[in-house]
């Protein structure tokens, strides 16, 4: 027997679930959020536990602060290994058939992957929504940029994005890209309205010294890609990270000017980035947005209409012969790993929303034998294969200070070359060689163990070793492929008896060609800057690939996209433009899983915009019931 | 009293091998913790030997830095027994972490069950000298403040 | 307000000349600064990872004192003068009484303790009803500001607003220059804004001016700034002493009734009381203390420039403040001599290169 009835039952307490619940809470809808993981981080002391745990972890990988929970297991980059088909690689949570490893990870704890995200908040470009008609690859979205523009603005407010419009230049866009304010429209608001030219709630995060150094060095640079001459431009990156508030921005939620939201449960922390240089895996002062902030706002209201229930892992959707979801089955545990006290429960609502990661959403649908009529469920898994190049600048450039990346090169985000190879975004990595070589740890070990240095000479040498370090990252647009997919297999289950995701993944020639051009671009930049190139790819790397006789290594970007794509027909998509499941009218699948293509922007902001749009549809739907 | 002398030898040896002053090392707040952890990881008899030997070298070359450094290289760092320990001590100070001693060392000289790679504590991570040495701050701690990353780097004052 | 103004016209207030106003404003900035080193010593002496509530409370007070310093500087610039900060006499020689006050207690640079918190409460004590301001000696900070407010009103009445607020607007620190929590800074160019600033400073310090002690509000007037109100400084310190938070309904008589928390009074670096460079037991320690003082003096120099026509420089002071903290904490861990359990601590002395 279902225990209680809600207006909406949301599965997953990450950013999508949080933003949706926030929207529903404003209309006093009765909402239940089921979170598979623990609800740690919601108060200063458990958040501090995360930070303290991070300090003592030797491998400071994205999930290092967030202990794995065998009842809501998560992948870890340390588990990414070479695959030897036809045998799967099973050492981590993902069962990987490959042939190449899916290299991204997510976090299964309250707040989801925003706990360890970087905080980059880029909008997709207009052409990203029509790849098929513009360039002949991928698919077109059933909606376009202009449908989402107002929701991007809403998302930028809810997350709290720092950027200056005048600084942002992207290929294939004009002054209408940001244009005038569209949000909020329709309903009444307090205080002064935002009118006219769009503004971000906060000014941009100041660029790093390295950004300025590279920007100066690349001024006027052009890159020849086939017949196209591409102007190279270094541009700051909008970030979900607290900066100086924009005093001309009126917050429609309060009627006051915008006030950055700092640490959950603390009045004087994190209202501005303090340069902890630790956005990934965890911002100690919570200047970076996490879904915990939104969740805390919702839950701290007296008589909140939203209930959060953590340690509740959904295992199945139950539906009737018309496809209408009747209830959700979940397993509630008392302590991670302790099967005593695990209770199987059911809950009902008027509407159901799956807001977990695309991989978990797909897995749950497959386990429920739901949403399968298009044959696309679980398919089109995407990431931004992330290719690194690294070197030493001729001068000290001040790495390991400030955010991971505050500027990038957007020049290859759009252009005619997309009919030949992947587009990509270049980020300028501000933390030296930490990603490719685990600097500065490796520098110390090398100088002490191999070079027999000690004392003042060691000190001086380390400064000279590390100061010129810089790194580029190329986030390669991956096309949707039905063969890149998540399936389930009764052979592979977790400690609670739920399915583990079984993943098939590969890179296409289109992406490999993009990687090769990106590397050629990097070569030219290094020559222009007079930098010593130390990039090295090894066939032993899990993400090693070859293209036209040359080797490259990719990593994951943590951008898990696809698996329940949105479309205009139930024949080739899992959800419609409202992110409502074609096969189950009272079920919505939201988040990055609904994106038909990935573009070159980090997907969180687009996911947030899509979620807010779905929220309006869900409110309308509730009014009709 | 002996412990106090050993601790002093430990501090002085640490100052020479790290390139930091004794007062800098005390300022980290983890010196005593490193001393006791080091002794308990490598075992009392071998650490006692190390402090004795260090104390002798430090006294002998008190007024000549160059000679002292040479003696430390010849008699400690290139010594089969002490070399791996002193290198580990340098890395402990710079990274706040203990690296498991090399297998051949463990076989020849033995260690304790505590000789496993690990970060000693949250504080030891935050006080790693490497961060100051490279002109930065420990990632996730001792944050330099909003916008400081825009300024050019400043080399630390070593002498 | 109107009736009050009328009443005041009948008598000459304490401050009735420009000279006296300027002098009082310089005192005000000295008073605001006076509390910062003792608060920082208590704050930095708390061992890392312990006493999160006490750290948050003291830190928030320090941030507000910095905001107050900035607001006073804006007020000074509004009336056409600059504060004098970068000089030896600006830094108090602890232990000492609060400058320009009639206080009988001395304030020390000392570690976090019940005694230190009692002293802080004495500093921030709410005004007792009916105690008027007296020449050169003000029983409480609020009295000093009352005198300033009355003086401004009087001078505006006598000379007109334009003659009083004759400062250059580009000297003002704006929210664009200063954003550090503790509330928003704002520019001052009129009597109204000046009165607002004065009220803001008083209320954050001591709470909404009560008619009688014990019946007023515990909370400050921060809602003006679109930020949630907090207990005034006096009451925030009292929370530490009692290990319990105030809630909105509480009054000074009722005491706090909110969440309880532990205060670990022993988790403290044993900093010596009122350290002085000249008593340093060794050269390396003296150098470390000097390095701290040099940084501190540099910071004051930068602030003086920021408050004297270069307000953008205040942004650069952010990094210096963080560095100062790390150097201060380092001094908390260095024994005064070999084997001692007493630690050096920061001395906050004016540094002039030898």
């Amino acid at each position: 027997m279902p225990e209680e009835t809600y207006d909406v039952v949301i599965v997953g307490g990450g950013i999508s679930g949080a933003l949706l619940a926030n929207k529903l809470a404003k209309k006093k809808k009765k909402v239940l959020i089921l979170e598979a993981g623990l609800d740690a981080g919601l108060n200063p002391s458990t958040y501090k536990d995360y930070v303290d745990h991070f300090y003592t972890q030797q491998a400071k990988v994205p999930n290092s602060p967030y202990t794995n929970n065998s009842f809501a297991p998560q992948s870890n980059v340390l588990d990414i290994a070479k695959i030897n088909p036809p045998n799967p690689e099973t050492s981590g949570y993902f069962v990987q058939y490959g042939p190449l490893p899916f290299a991204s990870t997510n976090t299964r704890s309250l707040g989801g992957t925003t706990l360890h995200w970087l905080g980059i908040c880029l909008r997709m470009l207009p052409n990203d929504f029509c790849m098929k008609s513009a360039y002949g690859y991928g698919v077109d979205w059933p909606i376009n940029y202009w449908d989402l523009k107002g929701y991007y603005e809403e998302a930028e407010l809810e997350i709290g994005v720092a950027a200056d419009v005048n600084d942002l230049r992207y290929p294939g866009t004009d002054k209408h890209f940001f244009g005038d304010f569209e949000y909020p429209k329709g309903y009444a608001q307090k205080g002064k309205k935002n009118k006219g030219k769009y503004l971000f709630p906060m000014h941009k995060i100041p660029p790093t010294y390295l950004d300025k150094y590279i920007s100066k060095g690349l001024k006027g640079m052009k890159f020849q890609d086939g017949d196209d001459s591409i102007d190279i431009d270094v541009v700051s990156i909008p970030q979900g990270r607290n900066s100086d508030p924009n005093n001309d921005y009126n917050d429609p939620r309060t009627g006051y000017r915008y006030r950055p939201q700092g640490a959950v449960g603390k009045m004087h922390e994190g209202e501005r980035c303090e340069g902890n240089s630790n956005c990934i895996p965890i911002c100690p002062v919570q200047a970076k947005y996490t879904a915990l902030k939104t969740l805390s706002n919702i839950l701290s209201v007296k008589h909140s209409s939203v209930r959060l229930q953590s340690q509740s892992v959904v295992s199945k959707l139950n539906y009737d012969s018309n496809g209408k979801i009747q209830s959700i089955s979940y397993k509630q545990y008392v302590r991670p790993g302790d099967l005593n006290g695990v209770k199987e429960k059911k809950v009902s609502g008027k509407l159901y929303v799956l807001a977990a990661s695309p991989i978990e959403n797909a897995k749950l649908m497959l386990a429920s034998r739901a949403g399968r009529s298009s044959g696309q469920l679980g398919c089109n898994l995407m990431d931004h294969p992330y290719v690194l190049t690294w070197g030493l600048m001729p001068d000290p450039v001040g790495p390991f200070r400030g955010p991971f990346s505050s500027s990038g090169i957007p020049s290859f985000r759009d252009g005619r070359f997309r009919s030949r190879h992947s587009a990509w975004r270049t980020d300028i990595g501000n933390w030296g060689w930490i990603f490719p070589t685990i600097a500065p740890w490796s520098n110390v070990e090398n100088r002490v163990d191999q070079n027999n240095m000690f004392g003042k000479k060691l000190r001086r040498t380390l400064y000279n070793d590390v100061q010129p370090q810089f790194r580029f990252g190329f986030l390669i647009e991956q096309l949707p492929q039905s063969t890149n997919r998540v399936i389930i297999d009764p052979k592979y289950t977790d400690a609670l008896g739920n399915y583990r995701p079984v993943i098939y993944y590969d890179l296409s020639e289109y992406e490999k060609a993009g990687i090769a051009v990106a590397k050629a671009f990097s070569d030219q930049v290094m020559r222009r800057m007079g930098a010593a190139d130390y990039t090295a790819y090894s066939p032993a790397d899990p993400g090693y690939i070859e293209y036209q006789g040359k080797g490259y290594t990719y990593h994951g970007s943590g951008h898990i996209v696809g698996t329940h794509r949105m479309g205009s027909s139930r024949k080739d998509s899992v959800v419609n433009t409202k992110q409502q499941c074609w096969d189950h009218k009272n079920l919505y699948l939201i988040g990055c899983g609904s994106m038909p293509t990935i573009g070159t922007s980090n997907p969180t902001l687009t996911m947030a915009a899509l979620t807010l749009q779905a929220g309006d549809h869900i409110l309308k739907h509730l009014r009709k019931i | 009293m002996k412990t106090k002398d050993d601790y002093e030898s430990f501090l002085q040896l640490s100052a020479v091998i790290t390139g930091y002053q004794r007062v800098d090392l005390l300022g980290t707040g983890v010196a005593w913790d490193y001393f006791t952890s080091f002794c308990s990881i490598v075992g009392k008899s071998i650490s006692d030997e190390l402090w004795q030997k260090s104390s002798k070298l430090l006294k002998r070359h008190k007024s000549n830095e160059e000679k002292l450094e040479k003696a430390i290289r010849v008699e400690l760092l290139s010594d089969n027994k002490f070399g791996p320990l002193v290198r580990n001590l340098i890395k402990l100070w710079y990274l706040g972490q203990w690296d498991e001693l090399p297998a051949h060392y463990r076989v020849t000289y033995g260690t304790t069950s505590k000789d496993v790679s690990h970060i000693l504590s949250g504080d030891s991570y935050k006080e790693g000298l490497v961060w100051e040495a490279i002109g930065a701050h420990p990632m996730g701690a001792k944050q330099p403040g909003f916008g400081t990353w825009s300024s050019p780097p400043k080399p630390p004052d070593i002498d | 307000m109107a009736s009050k103004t009328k009443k005041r016209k009948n008598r000459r207030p304490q401050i009735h000349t420009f000279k006296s106003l300027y002098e009082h404003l310089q005192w005000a900035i000295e008073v605001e600064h006076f509390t910062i080193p003792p608060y920082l010593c208590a704050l930095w002496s708390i061992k890392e990872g312990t006493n999160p509530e006490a750290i948050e409370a003291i830190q928030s007070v320090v941030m507000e004192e910095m905001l107050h310093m900035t607001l006073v500087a804006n007020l000074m610039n509004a009336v056409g003068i600059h504060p004098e900060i970068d000089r030896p006499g600006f830094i108090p020689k602890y232990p000492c009484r609060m400058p320009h006050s009639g206080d009988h207690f001395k304030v020390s640079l000392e570690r976090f303790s019940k005694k230190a918190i009692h002293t802080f409460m004495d500093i921030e004590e709410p005004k007792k009803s009916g105690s008027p301001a007296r020449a050169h000696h003000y029983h409480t900070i609020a009295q000093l500001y009352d005198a300033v407010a009355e003086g401004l009103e009087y001078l505006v009445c006598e000379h007109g607003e334009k003659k009083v607020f004759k400062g250059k607007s580009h000297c003002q620190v704006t929210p664009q220059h200063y954003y550090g929590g503790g509330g928003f800074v704002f520019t001052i160019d009129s009597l109204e804004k000046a009165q607002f600033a004065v009220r803001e400073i008083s209320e954050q310090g001591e709470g909404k001016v009560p008619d009688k002690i014990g019946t007023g509000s515990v909370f400050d007037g921060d809602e003006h700034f679109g930020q949630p109100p907090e207990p005034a400084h006096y009451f925030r310190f009292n929370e530490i002493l009692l290990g319990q938070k105030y809630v909105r309904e509480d009054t000074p008589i009722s005491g706090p009734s909110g969440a309880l928390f532990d205060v670990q009074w022993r988790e403290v670096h044993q900093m010596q009381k009122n350290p002085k460079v000249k008593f340093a037991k060794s050269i390396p320690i003296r150098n470390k203390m000097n390095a701290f003082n040099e940084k501190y003096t540099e910071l004051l120099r930068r602030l003086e420039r920021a408050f004297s026509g270069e307000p953008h420089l205040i942004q650069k002071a952010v990094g210096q403040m963080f560095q100062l903290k790390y150097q201060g904490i380092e001094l908390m861990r260095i024994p005064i001599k070999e084997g001692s359990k007493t630690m050096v601590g920061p001395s906050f002395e004016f540094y002039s290169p030898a």
Side-chain angles (χ1 to χ4, degrees), chain A residues 309-330:
Chain A
Q309 192 176 303
S310 58
Q311 300 175 221
S312 299
V313 192
V314 175
S315 49
K316 196 164 172 258
L317 309 173
N318 309 301
Y319 56 91
D320 65 16
S321 54
N322 297 321
K324 190 178 176 203
I325 309 292
Q326 300 288 335
S327 65
I328 279 181
S329 300
Y330 65 95

Side-chain angles (χ1 to χ4, degrees), chain A residues 14-284:
Chain A
I15 181 171
S16 285
L19 291 179
L20 178 64
N22 188 40
K23 199 152 198 170
L24 299 174
K26 283 181 191 157
K27 300 284 176 193
K28 299 272 173 255
K29 299 299 172 196
K30 213 172 153 199
V31 176
L32 175 69
I33 301 174
L34 292 171
E35 165 58 43
L38 307 180
D39 64 2
L42 261 190
N43 67 55
S45 92
T46 51
Y47 193 86
K48 187 176 170 292
D49 290 344
Y50 277 152
V51 179
D52 287 342
H53 190 64
F54 155 80
Y55 290 142
T56 58
Q57 293 300 292
Q58 278 196 287
K60 301 203 181 304
V61 295
N63 270 340
S64 59
Y66 320 106
T67 315
N68 191 45
N69 166 352
S70 64
F71 284 171
Q74 62 198 8
S75 49
N76 188 314
V77 291
L78 299 172
D79 300 329
I80 310 297
K82 264 197 134 43
I83 300 161
N84 298 308
N87 299 318
E89 163 56 45
T90 62
S91 56
Y93 170 53
F94 295 158
V95 176
Q96 302 230 32
Y97 275 91
L100 289 172
F102 183 76
S104 280
T105 66
N106 60 307
T107 305
R108 292 183 76 193
S109 209
L110 193 69
T113 310
T114 57
L115 294 174
H116 83 218
W117 78 317
L118 174 52
I120 285 182
C121 284
L122 289 159
R123 298 183 184 186
M124 289 179 77
L125 302 180
N127 278 341
D128 292 339
F129 294 83
C130 54
M131 278 295 288
K132 184 76 184 173
S133 42
Y135 302 111
Y137 282 98
V139 289
D140 287 348
W141 288 47
I143 55 173
N144 64 33
Y145 172 78
W146 309 106
D147 295 326
L148 271 191
K149 183 176 175 291
Y151 289 108
Y152 271 129
E153 294 173 12
E154 188 179 353
E156 282 155 358
L157 168 64
E158 293 295 344
I159 291 173
V161 178
D164 289 328
V165 170
N166 292 338
D167 260 24
L168 305 176
R169 303 172 296 270
Y170 305 119
T173 64
D174 58 19
K175 62 179 179 61
H176 301 296
F177 184 67
F178 290 108
D180 288 346
F181 268 104
E182 283 187 23
Y183 177 82
K185 54 185 165 193
Y187 61 85
Q189 55 167 320
K190 296 180 204 162
K192 273 196 286 184
K193 257 197 166 95
N194 282 316
K195 270 195 213 129
K197 274 188 82 179
Y198 182 68
L199 300 168
F200 284 90
M202 291 175 282
H203 290 294
K204 72 172 173 191
I205 295 283
T208 63
Y209 180 73
L210 173 66
D211 291 346
K212 294 190 282 186
Y213 184 92
I214 290 180
S215 183
K216 209 166 130 198
L218 300 190
K219 210 171 165 93
M221 178 177 173
K222 286 182 189 302
F223 180 78
Q224 198 66 32
D225 178 6
D227 294 336
D228 304 321
S229 172
I230 292 164
D231 293 317
I232 303 308
D233 199 6
V234 177
V235 169
S236 73
I237 301 173
Q239 318 211 11
R241 190 179 324 290
N242 289 337
S243 176
D244 287 326
N246 194 333
N247 292 316
D248 296 324
Y249 189 101
N250 301 303
D251 187 336
R253 300 170 303 184
T254 61
Y256 292 107
R257 59 186 163 188
Y258 182 81
R259 186 180 158 78
Q261 186 178 356
V264 170
K266 283 193 151 186
M267 290 191 77
H268 299 283
E269 202 167 279
E271 287 166 314
R272 207 163 64 157
C273 173
E274 295 176 359
N276 262 292
S277 315
N278 210 56
C279 326
I280 304 172
I282 188 164
C283 174

Side-chain angles (χ1 to χ4, degrees), chain A residues 592-608:
Chain A
C592 287
S594 300
M595 292 167 62
T597 62
I598 192 169
T600 56
S601 50
N602 306 38
T604 302
L605 186 74
T606 300
M607 151 165 61

Side-chain angles (χ1 to χ4, degrees), chain A residues 382-548:
Chain A
M382 291 170 270
D383 189 5
H384 287 124
Y386 191 47
V387 176
L388 308 177
T389 65
W390 59 99
L392 298 176
M393 286 294 179
D395 303 295
V397 290
F400 293 100
R401 301 179 307 161
F404 179 85
S405 178
S406 49
S407 294
I409 301 170
S411 312
F412 298 91
R413 289 190 60 193
D414 191 28
R416 288 191 305 186
F417 57 82
R418 285 175 107 173
S419 57
R420 300 191 299 274
H421 60 73
S422 282
W424 74 82
R425 191 176 75 75
T426 309
D427 75 5
I428 298 172
N430 186 42
W431 298 346
W433 293 0
I434 189 168
F435 200 149
T437 72
I438 322 182
W441 287 266
S442 57
N443 294 91
V444 172
E445 300 199 331
N446 181 46
R447 290 306 187 187
V448 174
D449 290 336
Q450 261 79 54
N451 297 168
N452 297 311
M453 283 188 190
F454 70 95
K456 286 179 184 161
K457 186 169 183 203
L458 173 65
R459 265 178 90 177
R460 264 190 217 102
T461 307
L462 286 171
Y463 183 83
N464 297 330
D465 279 354
V466 174
Q467 273 293 326
Q469 290 182 355
F470 75 100
R471 170 193 70 72
F472 289 124
F474 302 97
L475 295 98
I476 308 289
E477 175 173 29
Q478 180 162 37
L479 295 173
Q481 305 273 354
S482 59
T483 45
N484 284 347
R485 60 195 296 218
V486 179
I487 63 161
I488 52 172
D489 181 338
K491 267 199 299 205
Y492 299 108
T493 55
D494 66 22
L496 207 51
N498 290 316
Y499 288 103
R500 283 166 61 190
V502 176
I503 295 175
Y504 289 83
Y505 184 76
D506 200 1
L507 263 54
S508 74
E509 294 296 293
Y510 182 78
E511 289 122 28
K512 290 177 187 171
I515 290 172
V517 184
K519 176 66 170 63
F521 167 65
S522 166
D523 293 347
Q524 193 173 320
V525 169
M526 298 235 195
R527 287 185 197 116
R528 189 183 175 100
M529 301 287 313
D533 194 343
Y534 279 79
T535 310
Y537 305 124
S538 158
D541 298 334
Y544 182 80
I545 54 159
E546 285 185 359
Y547 180 72
Q548 295 187 338

